[in-house]
Amino acid sequence: METVNSVKVEMVKESISNVESINVNGMETKDVKVVENNQSEVKSLNNNMETKSASQTTEVSKQATVEAARDILVEKKQWLADNSNADENVIKIAKVNIAKAENNYIAALQAVELPCTTVEFWDVKESTEELEIITKKKAEIIIATSDYSMAVNKVNIELGKKLINNKNFEKAPLFVTDAKLFYETDIVLKDLNGNVVPKDTPNVYVPVDSANGYWQWKTYHESNINAIVKEEKQLIIENVKIKKFASLQEFAQYRGVNNVLSRGFNGLEKAGNAALATQHEFYQRIFSKARELKANISVITKYYNQGKTLNLKVWNNATLGMVEESFSYDLTIGDKIITTLQEMKFKAKTIKERYMIDAITLLANYAPQGKEKIGIEEVISTIKSLNKENIAIIESCSMDKVNSIQNELLTQCLKNRNEINQAA
């Protein structure tokens, strides 16, 4: 059955090549769907390959899918290289198909069970007060994690791909321990592709998570999958050391001792590092203003960023010295809002909390009775026209603070416009 299906796969691939030739000679694009349908047929055939045992069926099927996906990608790249002078629309579609083939190849690689990771074990052979001798040995191992491993999100992985090739990245020791401890206590392990690792599988190691290193294994793994697809050199994880524990309790205690006080930057520290790393006026201003007012950095960011915070990706890039190209801000407006609130004798607590700037932003974007938005300049003028009673009311709001403050400011704004009756 496996031989028959393999022949079918090759026939489908041949038909894909024939379709692409028709596209070039006839300058047609309507057959792209046929190509995509045939790609789906390749996946379907591979996924349905049969062998004598269920486990062998899965393994052979996934490996066959990887090979088919790789071959299709090679063919599509070759097709584009051979027809680089074709019609512009045909070339565009060909590039789209290459991107799709790369994604299919990545998906196939990410489904493979028990993927191996290339590491360089560093083993201390001799250590004195003045000298340490280390031997290095490359090895292919299977990395596994459990429900007790530290979590890593997609943002960290994507940022990590930039970090691991950065010249400033410090390759501190990464510790692993033999999976035996986990097998003995029936804790489920999963490989880096998310597949369950069968109990007693040999050559499996579990990372001894640290605050600085827990994200690196998945980052290296995904980076190397991309390297395979792009036919680039794969990365080797250096300075890996095997740590032995008598029990899982000892394993956990070791992790606890080395992680309990570890942390990344807090908000203010991250802003300070971003200010230094980017030398950008925005980060410099919000850092200095947050220190001056002793305020949360996210609140101060809103004053200078049109009422919006920055997402984690933007912040992380800033700490590396990178500023978003589409970054928009207004330091003048931020200064003007804060100065106005201070001059009107609002309490420091009111200025530092998010409710005030959120209400100001809400009002600035409000368009009464279908008219133009009120705008930030008119909101600032409205604040300047408040009396002590108005300010007292605003600062005494305890329920639904943002809307309560916004309603008080709106009432004053409409009074200033002589439209208070319309508001009623």
Side-chain angles (χ1 to χ4, degrees):
M1 185 67 175
E2 180 184 342
T3 304
V4 173
N5 280 329
S6 297
V7 172
K8 287 184 179 180
V9 170
E10 294 304 320
M11 291 174 64
V12 172
K13 290 184 200 170
E14 183 178 353
S15 70
I16 291 174
S17 298
N18 291 337
V19 170
E20 291 175 330
S21 296
I22 293 171
N23 281 341
V24 173
N25 295 331
M27 296 300 178
E28 297 178 359
T29 59
K30 63 182 180 181
D31 292 318
V32 172
K33 290 184 179 178
V34 177
V35 176
E36 294 173 352
N37 290 337
N38 282 331
Q39 289 175 0
S40 298
E41 189 175 345
V42 171
K43 292 179 190 176
S44 177
L45 286 170
N46 281 291
N47 288 333
N48 289 313
M49 284 184 174
E50 297 177 1
T51 55
K52 293 181 180 179
S53 72
S55 60
Q56 289 176 330
T57 299
T58 302
E59 183 179 352
V60 171
S61 177
K62 288 182 178 180
Q63 290 296 339
T65 302
V66 169
E67 290 302 313
R70 184 190 67 80
D71 291 346
I72 290 172
L73 176 58
V74 169
E75 290 171 4
K76 289 188 177 299
K77 286 181 176 179
Q78 188 60 51
W79 182 85
L80 180 59
D82 292 342
N83 300 279
S84 58
N85 295 324
D87 180 79
E88 183 179 347
N89 288 331
V90 175
I91 294 296
K92 183 177 180 181
I93 292 174
K95 289 180 178 179
V96 169
N97 281 338
I98 287 175
K100 288 181 179 178
E102 287 180 338
N103 290 333
N104 288 339
Y105 193 10
I106 289 173
L109 288 168
Q110 288 177 333
V112 171
E113 295 180 359
L114 305 180
C116 284
T117 300
T118 303
V119 302
E120 187 175 79
F121 283 122
W122 290 19
D123 188 20
V124 178
K125 289 301 181 184
E126 182 181 340
S127 181
T128 68
E129 292 183 0
E130 298 177 350
L131 175 70
E132 187 166 80
I133 299 175
I134 298 174
T135 61
K136 299 179 181 181
K137 181 181 71 173
K138 289 185 176 62
E140 297 279 334
I141 64 174
I142 299 167
I143 292 295
T145 61
S146 74
D147 288 341
Y148 297 92
S149 299
M150 295 175 77
V152 56
N153 60 43
K154 192 67 178 175
V155 173
N156 284 354
I157 293 172
E158 291 304 313
L159 179 59
K161 291 176 186 177
K162 300 175 184 177
L163 294 181
I164 56 178
N165 282 311
N166 191 296
K167 65 179 181 179
N168 292 321
F169 179 62
E170 185 66 50
K171 295 180 180 178
L174 292 175
F175 293 97
V176 295
T177 193
D178 195 293
K180 268 185 189 177
L181 286 175
F182 296 82
Y183 294 151
E184 291 168 355
T185 51
D186 292 325
I187 290 177
V188 175
L189 295 178
K190 292 184 179 180
D191 63 32
L192 292 176
N193 280 335
N195 301 299
V196 172
V197 176
K199 187 176 180 180
D200 295 327
T201 300
N203 197 35
V204 178
Y205 292 86
V206 177
V208 183
D209 305 316
S210 66
N212 183 54
Y214 73 96
W215 54 271
Q216 291 186 42
W217 297 100
K218 185 69 172 175
T219 296
Y220 273 106
H221 178 63
E222 290 202 9
S223 181
N224 282 338
I225 284 179
N226 290 336
I228 292 172
V229 173
K230 298 290 186 182
E231 297 182 326
E232 298 170 348
K233 185 178 179 180
Q234 295 183 54
L235 300 172
I236 296 173
I237 306 178
E238 301 176 16
N239 202 356
V240 178
K241 297 182 179 180
I242 297 175
K243 193 79 177 173
K244 295 181 180 180
F245 299 98
S247 66
L248 275 179
Q249 184 177 21
E250 185 179 296
F251 163 85
Q253 289 172 350
Y254 177 91
R255 261 195 340 176
V257 167
N258 288 282
N259 277 326
V260 70
L261 295 179
S262 297
R263 63 171 177 81
F265 292 128
N266 63 31
L268 184 62
E269 291 164 347
K270 183 172 282 190
N273 202 76
L276 291 176
T278 63
Q279 291 296 302
H280 192 277
E281 62 176 1
F282 176 81
Y283 294 105
Q284 292 173 334
R285 182 65 59 82
I286 62 173
F287 174 66
S288 62
K289 188 60 68 172
R291 281 181 57 82
E292 175 192 328
L293 299 179
K294 295 181 174 59
N296 187 296
I297 198 69
S298 65
V299 175
I300 299 303
T301 300
K302 287 183 178 183
Y303 278 105
Y304 292 96
N305 193 39
Q306 301 170 12
K308 300 185 292 291
T309 57
L310 302 179
N311 65 41
L312 181 59
K313 179 182 177 181
V314 174
W315 269 120
N316 286 343
N317 283 340
T319 62
L320 302 180
M322 297 182 289
V323 179
E324 292 289 306
E325 292 181 2
S326 58
F327 195 45
S328 61
Y329 60 93
D330 195 325
L331 299 184
T332 303
I333 289 296
D335 283 343
K336 190 181 290 188
I337 296 172
I338 292 173
T339 300
T340 299
L341 292 172
Q342 290 172 329
E343 289 175 347
M344 294 302 297
K345 306 301 182 184
F346 277 93
K347 295 175 182 176
K349 182 176 181 291
T350 304
I351 299 173
K352 290 193 294 185
E353 291 180 340
R354 69 173 181 85
Y355 310 111
M356 192 70 202
I357 183 57
D358 285 351
I360 288 171
T361 302
L362 196 64
L363 182 59
N365 292 318
Y366 176 64
Q369 296 185 351
K371 298 179 181 179
E372 291 183 359
K373 291 180 181 180
I374 290 176
I376 194 65
E377 291 292 350
E378 187 170 1
V379 175
I380 293 173
S381 296
T382 299
I383 294 172
K384 289 180 178 180
S385 68
L386 296 172
N387 56 37
K388 290 182 180 180
E389 184 181 350
N390 298 138
I391 294 173
I393 293 172
I394 288 173
E395 295 195 319
S396 65
C397 294
S398 58
M399 300 285 290
D400 194 13
K401 289 187 177 183
V402 174
N403 285 321
S404 296
I405 295 171
Q406 191 252 8
N407 287 335
E408 188 66 26
L409 291 176
L410 176 59
T411 300
Q412 183 64 33
C413 177
L414 296 177
K415 281 182 180 179
N416 294 344
R417 290 183 173 191
N418 295 319
E419 296 177 1
I420 190 64
N421 291 331
Q422 295 179 36

